[in-house]
Amino acid sequence: MSHQSTAVPPLIITEDNRFWFAAAEQGWLAIQRCTRCHTLRHPPAPCCARCQSFEWDTIESSRRANLCSYTVIHHPRDTAFDYPLVVGLVDLPEGIRLVADIVGIEPDELVAGMELDVTFAEHAHGAVLPRLTRPEVWR
Amino acid sequence: MSGRGFSGVAAIAGIGATEFSKDSGRSEWQLACECVLAALEDAGIGVPEVDGFALFTMENNPEIAVARALGIPELTFFSRIPHGGGGACAPVQQAAMAVSTGIAEVVVVYRAFNERSGHRFGAGPPKFAYSPSTDQEYRNWINPYGLLTPAQQEAFLAREYMRKYGATSADFGQVSVLSRKHAANNPRAWYYQRPITIADHQSSRMIADPLRLLDCCQESDGGQALVVVSTERARDLRRPPAVIRAAAQGVGPQQISMSSYSRSEIERLPEVGVVAKQLWRQSGLRPAELDAAVLYDAFTPMVLLQLEEYGFCGVGEAKDFIADGHLEVDGRLPMNTHGGQLGEGYIHGVNGIAEGVRLIRGGSTNQPAKRVDSVLVTGGSPVPHSAIVLGTDG
Ligand SMILES: [Zn+2]
C-alpha cells in the first residue's frame, strides 16, 4: 500500500477541527458539545447551530455504530486503499453521523442498521482515523 | 418578498456551442471565445454590445480573458456563483437581475472546457481540493476514507433511496435508456445514433455500488454560451425570446458540498425544495403546468430525487412515474430531449439550458408535438442548487 501517489488530499487542520484529529491520533472518538445547550455536532464547527454559542467542549463517543448507508467502490482506484473498498455512513448512539471505511466485512453481509465498531487505523499520509469493523463482542 | 421583480423582464436571446467531443484539439480559452461568438451570432448582437458576463465556479476561462480576446471594450457586470454544476442555472438569474435593474444590457453566460482530454473531472479531487482552506475543509470528513469522487459521495443517497422506497438499479437505468434514446436522435450528441437498453445498463460495470458506469454522465470537451437581454430588446432580435419566468438558488439546512450526511433523511434534497418553491411563486406556475423539463443528470438517481422534490410525482414514486412513460417525448413531461449529460455532452448543465431555449423556440431535435410554453431547467445536486423556468413570450 503505497501512499506516494495517493489523490487523497492531506488533512486540512484548522482551529475549528484540530481537537478532533488530535483525539483521533490518541485513539478516541471526540464529539463536539455546546456547553450552553449541550447539543452535539459533527463535523466540527466554531458555533452551535442551535444556540449560536461559541463555547464548547467534547465528549467521548461510545464508538458503537449502526450502519446507515454504504457504498462499495470499484473505480477509480487510489493507491491508499484496497479495492473493492467499502465505505459506510454510520449513526452513533450519541446522535451524530460519521463516515469511515469498513474493513473485514464482505459487501454481501452489509445491511442497514447492522452494528459496527468504530476503531482507529492508519490512513493516507499516515493519519490515524476511524475505521469501521465487526463488533468485537456480541452486545 | 414576492421575488417576482424580474419574472418575465429578461430573456435568453441567443445560444451557441462548439461541438461536444472527447478531444477538442484546441484550448479551453478558444472554446469559450467560439461559443460566445456563436451565441451572439444566434442573437444577432454585436460583440461590442456585450457588457456583462455571469459564470459559475470551476470555469477555467476568466471573463477578462474572453473579453480581451474578443475585443469587448467594457464590462459593467461580472459575477461567479460557487459550487460548480449546482450553480449552473444561477448565472441566468444573475444576468436577469442585472438586465432588469439596468446594471447591464447584454449579459453572456458561458461554460467551456476540455474536461475529457484535459483534467478529467471524474478521476479524483480537482486541483483546488489541495489548497487548505475552510472552503475545502469538508473533505476531511469524506476523502480520507475513500469517498473521492462525486459518484462515490452520492452513492450513500442512492442506496438509502433504494432501501426506503424499493427502487432498483434498473429503475435508475430507465433514465440512462431514455437519455440515450433522445441523444440517438440529436446530431450534436456524443451518443448520436447509439441508443442503449436496460440490459446494457445492467451489465455496465459497477463504479460505486449502486452506481454503475451507465448511471454516470460523460466527461466532455466543449463550450456552450447563452445571451441574456431584456425581453423588450429580445423581441426585436432574430430569434423568438425564451423568457426567464423564474430563476432561483437554494441552500438547505446543514448543507455540505456533496455530503450533507447529518440530515435525518440523506436521500432528500431540501436545497431543491428551496429552489422549487421560489420558482412556482415567481412564475405563478404549478409543477403540473410545466410542459417539459431538463433535469441535471450527472448521475441517474439525482433525476429521480429531483422529480420528487420538484413535485412532479410523490416521494418514492419517481420510478413508477418514469416507467409510466411521462418523460418520453410524447409524455406529460418530456425530459432531457437533447439526450442529457448522459447522452449529449457534459457541459455542466449549460447545454441543458440551451435545450430549454430550443424547446421554447420549437426547435429541439426531439420537439414534442404538443405546445411547449414553459420548461424547467435545473442545476446539479446534492450541492447548493439552482434552476430556471423558461417560457414563451406573451
Ligand atoms: Zn448550543
Side-chain angles (χ1 to χ4, degrees):
Chain A
M1 195 161 83
S2 162
H3 291 164
Q4 282 178 346
S5 58
T6 179
V8 176
L11 292 173
I12 297 173
I13 306 293
T14 69
E15 290 308 310
D16 302 311
N17 63 34
R18 188 183 307 277
F19 75 94
W20 195 90
F21 292 104
E25 285 289 338
Q26 303 301 315
W28 68 281
L29 183 58
I31 305 177
Q32 198 175 23
R33 176 177 64 178
C34 173
T35 51
R36 187 194 284 169
C37 78
H38 298 149
T39 300
L40 301 177
R41 59 183 189 260
H42 184 82
C47 183
C48 174
R50 183 162 175 265
C51 80
Q52 291 76 48
S53 170
F54 289 93
E55 303 300 318
W56 56 267
D57 60 8
T58 57
I59 64 163
E60 182 171 6
S61 168
S62 69
R63 298 196 275 118
R64 292 178 161 192
N66 291 91
L67 186 63
C68 171
S69 191
Y70 64 94
T71 180
V72 185
I73 299 172
H74 298 265
H75 184 84
R77 296 184 170 206
D78 185 274
T79 55
F81 305 99
D82 296 320
Y83 292 86
L85 168 67
V86 187
V87 186
L89 175 68
V90 292
D91 286 303
L92 289 169
E94 293 82 8
I96 62 128
R97 291 222 178 95
L98 185 76
V99 174
D101 46 325
I102 300 177
V103 168
I105 302 176
E106 290 303 310
D108 60 9
E109 292 182 73
L110 296 167
V111 57
M114 73 184 290
E115 295 176 335
L116 297 167
D117 278 355
V118 181
T119 57
F120 285 86
E122 191 176 315
H123 286 65
H125 310 294
V128 176
L129 295 169
R131 172 167 284 164
L132 298 164
T133 56
R134 198 183 295 277
E136 263 187 16
V137 290
W138 186 255
R139 55 181 205 243
Chain B
M1 187 191 75
S2 77
R4 295 196 69 161
F6 63 85
S7 178
V9 178
I12 299 176
I15 56 174
T18 67
E19 79 286 1
F20 305 139
S21 74
K22 301 297 180 192
D23 186 359
S24 72
R26 51 209 196 277
S27 75
E28 296 183 326
W29 192 6
Q30 180 168 339
L31 295 175
C33 292
E34 287 181 19
C35 68
V36 170
L37 285 178
L40 289 168
E41 171 66 21
D42 185 55
I45 292 176
V47 168
E49 286 192 71
V50 175
D51 57 0
F53 280 121
L55 309 176
F56 55 107
T57 54
M58 305 186 201
E59 169 59 52
N60 297 328
N61 304 291
E63 40 284 87
I64 57 170
V66 174
R68 177 168 75 84
L70 294 179
I72 295 167
E74 293 181 359
L75 295 176
T76 60
F77 176 77
F78 31 97
S79 71
R80 284 196 188 210
I81 299 298
H83 302 293
C89 292
V92 175
Q93 184 196 44
Q94 293 279 299
M97 291 195 293
V99 164
S100 64
T101 53
I103 295 295
E105 291 185 4
V106 178
V107 180
V108 175
V109 174
Y110 63 81
R111 191 66 157 183
F113 47 57
N114 290 323
E115 206 167 79
R116 172 66 200 205
S117 65
H119 180 79
R120 292 186 60 180
F121 208 57
K127 283 174 192 153
F128 58 74
Y130 302 90
S131 66
S133 66
T134 300
D135 185 48
Q136 297 298 312
E137 193 268 354
Y138 77 96
R139 295 181 178 279
N140 281 337
W141 313 102
I142 52 177
N143 286 177
Y145 309 102
L147 298 184
L148 292 167
T149 66
Q152 295 161 0
Q153 292 154 17
E154 291 185 18
F156 285 168
L157 285 65
R159 176 168 307 282
E160 178 63 357
Y161 181 82
M162 293 165 80
R163 188 191 69 81
K164 209 157 170 179
Y165 299 109
T168 63
S169 168
D171 292 326
F172 299 150
Q174 294 186 92
V175 175
S176 309
V177 172
L178 180 74
S179 301
R180 293 287 292 270
K181 178 177 168 182
H182 292 165
N185 195 37
N186 171 7
R188 280 182 314 280
W190 177 254
Y191 287 114
Y192 179 48
Q193 296 178 331
R194 284 186 282 174
I196 58 167
T197 63
I198 279 287
D200 294 329
H201 174 272
Q202 289 294 289
S203 61
S204 69
R205 67 179 165 146
M206 205 56 95
I207 297 295
D209 196 344
L211 297 180
R212 297 175 178 279
L213 179 65
L214 289 177
D215 289 308
C216 307
C217 75
Q218 327 167 49
E219 295 163 310
S220 303
D221 287 9
Q224 175 77 60
L226 319 163
V227 180
V228 175
V229 299
S230 71
T231 303
E232 200 179 325
R233 169 90 194 269
R235 287 181 185 129
D236 298 331
L237 296 172
R238 67 174 58 142
R239 301 288 205 163
V243 177
I244 300 162
R245 293 286 170 206
Q249 291 184 271
V251 163
Q254 294 299 307
Q255 183 93 53
I256 303 177
S257 182
M258 307 293 302
S259 52
S260 304
Y261 300 145
S262 67
R263 293 170 174 170
S264 56
E265 295 177 297
I266 59 167
E267 78 290 0
R268 299 295 302 274
L269 304 171
E271 55 277 7
V272 173
V274 170
V275 168
K277 66 185 178 191
Q278 295 177 79
L279 295 183
W280 310 145
R281 189 174 62 218
Q282 290 176 25
S283 67
L285 295 167
R286 289 173 291 116
E289 293 174 307
L290 270 291
D291 298 313
V294 181
L295 302 185
Y296 201 96
D297 59 342
F299 303 98
T300 58
M302 296 304 127
V303 171
L304 281 77
L305 269 53
Q306 287 186 60
L307 284 169
E308 298 173 8
E309 295 291 347
Y310 277 107
F312 295 114
C313 59
V315 174
E317 295 172 2
K319 63 183 189 328
D320 307 312
F321 186 80
I322 301 171
D324 289 344
H326 295 309
L327 304 183
E328 302 279 344
V329 171
D330 60 357
R332 186 198 297 175
L333 187 76
M335 186 197 74
N336 294 2
T337 43
H338 58 321
Q341 308 194 92
L342 293 156
E344 187 187 63
Y346 181 40
I347 314 298
H348 294 183
V350 181
N351 53 320
I353 301 173
E355 177 66 5
V357 172
R358 283 188 291 267
L359 285 163
I360 292 296
R361 290 176 178 177
S364 169
T365 53
N366 290 300
Q367 187 69 28
K370 68 175 183 180
R371 230 187 114 80
V372 175
D373 284 315
S374 58
V375 180
L376 170 69
V377 186
T378 72
S381 58
V383 288
H385 187 63
S386 63
I388 56 175
V389 174
L390 298 176
T392 48
D393 192 19

